[in-house]
Amino acid sequence: MELVEIFDTTLRDGEQSPGASMNVEEKVTVARQLAKLGVDIIEAGFAFSSHGDFEAVRRVSNEVEGPVVCSLARAKSEDIDSAWQALKGAPRPRIHTFISTSDIHLKHQFRLTREEARDRAVDMVERARGYVEDVEFSPMDASRSEPAYLYEVIEAVINAGASTVNIPDTVGYSLPHEFGELIRGIRENVPNIGKAIISVHCHNDLGLAVANSLSAIMNGARQVECTINGIGERAGNASLEEIVMILKTRRGVLGLDTRIVANQIYPTSRLISGITGIMVQPNKAIVGDNAFAHESGIHQDGILKEKETYEIIEPESIGITQSTLVLGKHSGRHAFKARLKELGLELTDENLKRAFERFKSLADQKKEVFDEDIEAIVTNEVLRVDLRERYKLTSLAVSSGTSGTPSAEVEIEIDGEKAREKGTGDGPVDAVYRTIAALTGTKSSLLRYSVNAITGGTDAQGEVSVRLQEGDCIATGHGAHTDIIIASAKAYINALNKLETKKERKEAVI
Ligand code: KIV
Ligand code: ZN
């Protein structure tokens, strides 16, 4: 069976989802899981864009075995050089360089003529080839570019050594038949196209990213760029799980498959939503909570008689298991580690030790520790600890009730120095947030605050998500605890730390 290569860009385009930034430790954990999932290529970041991205590409290159590791780079010498510096520990490195080819972008954003853009693309592909064998080139906004000029650029970059040409529908504007025709046009009009793999990269602004990718595959594309849960810039990218399960479920018609290990799809989806805090909509295909839930009586009746009546995919095949194992305070390290593994959470020894300690203290507070609790411990606490974390919560006391003004006393560490402050507010969370803002001297505004019970029961952990804005920087923070005020404080501090990191990031044009 012919294979379609899966290029996962969760760590690069996925991370461009508003509020979805991940720290280096989180990215390495995601990359390990992507390798287990069997993706062919991991786009680990955009090395030149920030210190964090550089470090993520470098660590994934050195530590994650299996897939090709790729860094994005604008068609600029400094980007290409930085991508190579970050990638050089990878057994199979790829540099992915791009420049726009649409007149709209060239005129208004890049201020280049078509000829200048084509020559820049060629020069930078050649520069990248000086470092690596495997070079991918993307003509950004390809779907709104003039086809004849697009063919000319593609032919030139293949001659310069690009072995993959990736055709982006950058603004998610194409219709499936148009995008399919574009791919067919490239196959028919670019004389040297046989020397490269055609890839596609579709955005979901009109909800057509998966349909457009599929149409491209049906017209000869053999690499698809996609993300777990479809996260990404604006409305997101084509969702990996949907593409893969379409090819698998309709293999008889399409005659194509991927190397994806399907039973790792669900654990990977959970890991990404846990780490980014971007929840999957309940009715999302393949990985949504309701994707296998049959509500109507007629459907339930059919399913009980014969699953095939209303089920086209077995939930177990994508790794949804009905876990009967509930951990508690008598569970040992071995059982805990085994459960982590089943949940797709493989940790370093140091992180395992910290997760186990946190699990033990949670098990003292609550009788039964469920899978969701374990996932929250790992994604909200263990992986979230970034060495560059500026603020840390060390102690918190609040008072509130039906009478009196809610107040808070907070102690935090700022760059390792303890600071303590008392304050009041309209409610206990407001009192805590005002006090933290006073302690840190930050002036962010709270755009969103939400609290969710991770499991059932009054002893459930509360998971708090906040979205903060300071100037033009937005960051989302998360925190979980059986005490929702503590969870709220953790989420706020997590968001403040992310804002700090974002402010340090260099400006980069994507
Ligand atoms: O959407 C896009 O065009 C991109 C390119 C950098 C490939 O993300
Ligand atoms: Zn994109």
Side-chain angles (χ1 to χ4, degrees):
M1 177 104 26
E2 217 187 321
L3 294 177
V4 173
E5 306 245 300
I6 297 295
F7 176 114
D8 183 278
T9 182
T10 307
L11 295 176
R12 199 278 295 171
D13 213 320
E15 208 214 6
Q16 287 171 220
S17 301
S21 57
M22 300 175 230
N23 67 33
V24 175
E25 206 54 48
E26 290 168 333
K27 286 186 180 177
V28 174
T29 304
V30 168
R32 284 212 181 88
Q33 179 58 26
L34 291 173
K36 212 163 146 197
L37 176 67
V39 307
D40 297 286
I41 302 108
I42 296 176
E43 188 163 52
F46 176 2
F48 184 77
S49 71
S50 69
H51 171 78
D53 263 43
F54 183 93
E55 207 35 33
V57 177
R58 193 189 65 77
R59 284 202 44 201
V60 173
S61 298
N62 286 302
E63 297 173 31
V64 179
E65 280 172 29
V68 168
V69 180
C70 172
S71 170
L72 186 69
R74 290 169 299 179
K76 292 187 168 206
S77 313
E78 57 271 34
D79 282 36
I80 307 274
D81 298 351
S82 161
W84 166 241
Q85 289 304 321
L87 283 167
K88 61 185 177 193
R92 292 192 295 150
R94 174 181 295 188
I95 296 177
H96 173 194
T97 187
F98 71 98
I99 195 163
S100 280
T101 47
S102 71
D103 288 338
I104 308 174
H105 283 203
L106 289 181
K107 181 168 171 220
H108 300 292
Q109 189 185 9
F110 288 79
R111 298 183 203 284
L112 291 175
T113 64
R114 287 182 175 187
E115 291 66 33
E116 285 166 341
R118 183 203 53 213
D119 293 350
R120 175 93 72 85
V122 166
D123 287 351
M124 291 306 121
V125 167
E126 281 172 354
R127 188 175 187 98
R129 275 303 304 266
Y131 292 125
V132 294
E133 292 270 294
D134 186 350
V135 174
E136 172 170 327
F137 173 76
S138 292
M140 189 158 75
D141 207 18
S143 53
R144 293 192 301 168
S145 304
E146 198 219 3
Y149 172 61
L150 186 63
Y151 303 151
E152 182 189 321
V153 174
I154 294 174
E155 185 183 353
V157 294
I158 294 175
N159 281 336
S163 46
T164 303
V165 280
N166 175 50
I167 309 302
D169 182 24
T170 302
V171 291
Y173 181 71
S174 252
L175 298 175
H177 74 277
E178 290 171 346
F179 201 61
E181 274 163 27
L182 178 66
I183 302 303
R184 204 178 55 239
I186 291 170
R187 286 183 66 203
E188 287 170 359
N189 293 288
V190 176
N192 55 0
I193 195 66
K195 293 191 188 152
I197 290 188
I198 303 181
S199 166
V200 287
H201 176 110
C202 298
H203 278 274
N204 207 27
D205 300 65
L206 295 174
L208 290 170
V210 169
N212 284 336
S213 305
L214 186 64
S215 174
I217 291 171
M218 291 165 77
N219 282 282
R222 288 295 175 266
Q223 174 181 291
V224 178
E225 302 202 350
C226 43
T227 59
I228 304 295
N229 300 337
I231 62 171
E233 185 79 33
R234 305 181 311 279
N237 290 67
S239 123
L240 179 147
E241 57 278 7
E242 293 177 26
I243 305 263
V244 168
M245 291 315 288
I246 290 169
L247 295 181
K248 203 166 269 314
T249 311
R250 303 306 311 274
R251 199 168 18 193
V253 175
L254 299 166
L256 293 164
D257 205 351
T258 67
R259 292 190 189 84
I260 294 296
V261 180
N263 67 13
Q264 291 300 317
I265 286 180
Y266 190 65
T268 315
S269 162
R270 296 287 300 231
L271 180 68
I272 297 301
S273 50
I275 285 182
T276 60
I278 301 180
M279 292 302 148
V280 170
Q281 75 196 58
N283 58 327
K284 159 100 174 54
I286 319 294
V287 292
D289 276 356
N290 297 345
F292 300 96
H294 301 276
E295 178 72 16
S296 105
I298 297 173
H299 288 210
Q300 287 174 351
D301 177 60
I303 285 283
L304 289 172
K305 289 178 177 146
E306 169 54 57
K307 274 194 185 168
E308 241 184 287
T309 48
Y310 292 96
E311 204 168 85
I312 58 165
I313 297 170
E314 290 187 350
E316 300 76 25
S317 71
I318 60 151
I320 299 181
T321 50
Q322 301 297 317
S323 168
T324 46
L325 185 67
V326 178
L327 300 182
K329 68 177 184 184
H330 300 297
S331 306
R333 182 185 292 266
H334 192 69
F336 181 68
K337 191 175 171 185
R339 196 69 208 121
L340 281 179
K341 199 163 177 213
E342 279 166 29
L343 294 171
L345 299 165
E346 278 185 57
L347 302 182
T348 58
D349 290 348
E350 171 65 14
N351 282 342
L352 176 67
K353 187 166 161 267
R354 292 179 38 231
F356 188 64
E357 277 164 13
R358 181 67 191 101
F359 157 73
K360 279 291 186 190
S361 95
L362 183 65
D364 277 338
Q365 289 166 332
K366 109 195 255 282
K367 229 169 72 208
E368 293 177 317
V369 178
F370 297 96
D371 290 350
E372 292 85 343
D373 291 315
I374 298 174
E375 286 170 342
I377 287 175
V378 173
T379 57
N380 285 321
E381 299 183 44
V382 176
L383 296 176
R384 202 150 280 160
V385 177
D386 195 327
L387 295 176
R388 284 150 37 80
E389 216 166 47
R390 196 159 177 223
Y391 309 118
K392 267 190 194 136
L393 178 71
T394 46
S395 137
L396 171 66
V398 286
S399 137
S400 74
T402 47
S403 56
T405 308
S407 64
E409 183 163 4
V410 184
E411 186 186 86
I412 60 172
E413 266 179 31
I414 306 176
D415 295 327
E417 296 282 317
K418 285 211 162 106
R420 182 178 275 270
E421 181 82 64
K422 285 183 184 166
T424 56
D426 289 338
V429 174
D430 188 45
V432 170
Y433 283 11
R434 281 173 190 272
T435 312
I436 295 174
L439 270 169
T440 54
T442 48
K443 299 207 167 13
S444 57
S445 32
L446 182 64
L447 300 182
R448 196 186 71 198
Y449 170 91
S450 68
V451 56
N452 234 333
I454 292 179
T455 58
T458 50
D459 64 351
Q461 289 195 87
E463 187 172 41
V464 174
S465 298
V466 296
R467 181 177 278 215
L468 299 185
Q469 177 161 25
E470 196 174 335
D472 54 4
C473 280
I474 295 182
T476 309
H478 312 275
H481 200 276
T482 45
D483 180 324
I484 59 162
I485 308 297
I486 298 177
S488 303
K490 287 180 161 200
Y492 190 70
I493 286 181
N494 179 233
L496 287 181
N497 279 317
K498 285 188 175 172
L499 275 178
E500 285 292 314
T501 314
K502 282 210 160 171
K503 282 191 274 175
E504 283 169 18
R505 281 181 96 131
K506 288 189 195 136
E507 283 292 311
V509 184
I510 301 188

